[in-house]
Amino acid sequence: MGSNGNQKDHAVELSAYLSLKKIADAQYDYEDARYVIFGVPFDYTSSYRRGSSRGPAEVRRAYDNLESYDVTYDIDFTEIPICDLGDIGVNEDPDETVDLVSEVVAIIRKDGKIPIMIGGEHSITGGSIRNFKEHGMIIIDAHSDFRFSYMGHKNNHACATRRSLEVLGEGKIFSFGTRSTSREEFEDPDFKKVTFVRAEEIKSEGIENIFLKYSPRMEKQIYFSIDMDGIDPAYAPGVGTPEPYGLKDTDVRYLIRRTAKITNGFDIVEFTPDFDNGNTSMLAAKLIQDFIGSRETTRKI
Ligand code: MN
Ligand code: MN
């Protein structure tokens, strides 16, 4: 009969069949990790096209196709202490799910590690941000997400920026790529407490100039949240609520590169595999590598 060694091989073999799949570069245990990846397969409040709950699995699948060595950062990601916890077990209650996310991120933060959360829909950011009170925030999003509540839920994905404002306060949130908001949100007196940078402004001035313009007002520590619909549907078609005339993939990469060294929490949300052609999952996976690579590299990028 097989030795323990054989059983170890079998565990690896079985993991290919079962839903134990980890991000390809995540080679470390939690205790030794600096970056802690986890998925939140939750899409209950999505208003248009559901399916972002399958986001974490598809990002992991796409990630398999990336090289572990990146020539720009001169980094082999398998040598960086990254772990992948798998997915949080969620139910259909948005309030409970957001609380759960908050509890998980609290533990990771307490251990001095950097959470990387893969959604799921944008409502989950409202749980994570509770653990970053002394931080500023960068959001990539087509939408202002500034409704007080939507379809009966305060933790609807259309309220993500509003919930974050309640935690962080005035002047600390910069949302890049805005091109969709309701009159009700726009005329809300609190709307000006967030800096919404329109996609058109970024297109006409260029991302470098935009960053120079706003970065002096940014906090010294950042939480970075990417709603994939902030990026143009040409690059990221697989989202729940697509919006034309968005950011370029390299605009987002630029912002990640400029701020990674001061970013202590990161999420990618709203990726919806059913509407993807393969580009969105790959871009989401690559943006995770770009975040870690930019944060770890000693090169000038
Ligand atoms: Mn959003
Ligand atoms: Mn959005």
Side-chain angles (χ1 to χ4, degrees), residues 30-261:
Y30 178 78
E31 302 89 277
D32 302 317
R34 189 177 308 138
Y35 299 93
V36 179
I37 295 171
F38 64 95
V40 185
F42 178 76
D43 66 1
Y44 185 62
T45 79
S46 288
S47 42
Y48 180 41
R49 317 196 291 201
R50 282 183 69 173
S52 64
S53 59
R54 295 204 300 107
E58 286 303 316
V59 171
R60 289 188 180 97
R61 199 194 307 271
Y63 201 112
D64 274 355
N65 297 296
L66 299 176
E67 292 287 358
S68 286
Y69 175 73
D70 187 294
V71 69
T72 307
Y73 306 115
D74 188 27
I75 275 175
D76 185 329
F77 289 97
T78 60
E79 293 168 359
I80 306 291
I82 304 167
C83 89
D84 182 353
L85 296 177
D87 291 347
I88 292 184
V90 297
N91 61 29
E92 293 216 323
D93 186 311
D95 300 335
E96 278 179 30
T97 301
V98 169
D99 285 348
L100 202 59
V101 167
S102 174
E103 286 161 26
V104 166
V105 174
I107 295 167
I108 296 168
R109 286 273 292 153
K110 211 172 288 171
D111 290 332
K113 304 173 190 296
I114 297 160
I116 297 177
M117 176 167 73
I118 308 171
E121 53 166 65
H122 213 169
S123 49
I124 60 176
T125 301
S128 186
I129 200 68
R130 290 178 198 164
N131 298 287
F132 293 87
K133 288 198 172 79
E134 70 284 16
H135 286 61
M137 186 179 197
I138 292 176
I139 301 172
I140 307 294
D141 205 326
H143 310 93
S144 52
D145 284 0
F146 207 69
R147 287 182 161 92
F148 185 76
S149 89
Y150 194 59
M151 296 169 84
H153 290 291
K154 273 184 80 177
N155 283 311
N156 188 287
H157 72 145
C159 313
T161 307
R162 169 77 76 146
R163 292 291 88 78
S164 301
L165 174 66
E166 288 167 359
V167 173
L168 302 180
E170 183 171 358
K172 291 170 77 176
I173 303 175
F174 292 78
S175 184
F176 293 93
T178 318
R179 54 198 185 277
S180 172
T181 189
S182 64
R183 181 180 285 266
E184 174 201 352
E185 289 166 88
F186 188 66
E187 292 179 348
D188 188 303
D190 288 338
F191 195 79
K192 289 192 168 55
K193 294 180 178 176
V194 172
T195 305
F196 289 102
V197 185
R198 289 177 303 116
E200 269 195 71
E201 187 182 336
I202 297 168
K203 182 159 174 49
S204 60
E205 294 184 30
I207 193 66
E208 292 88 351
N209 292 327
I210 288 289
F211 186 70
L212 282 173
K213 182 160 141 187
Y214 293 106
S215 59
R217 285 165 42 200
M218 287 179 186
E219 300 296 311
K220 299 284 175 276
Q221 295 188 93
I222 297 288
Y223 182 91
F224 205 115
S225 177
I226 301 177
D227 179 332
M228 288 300 285
D229 67 35
I231 302 163
D232 193 273
Y235 303 97
V239 294
T241 38
E243 192 70 37
Y245 315 130
L247 304 186
K248 285 190 281 188
D249 50 359
T250 46
D251 290 340
V252 177
R253 186 183 64 176
Y254 181 86
L255 292 173
I256 289 173
R257 285 182 171 176
R258 294 282 77 79
T259 57
K261 302 254 190 231

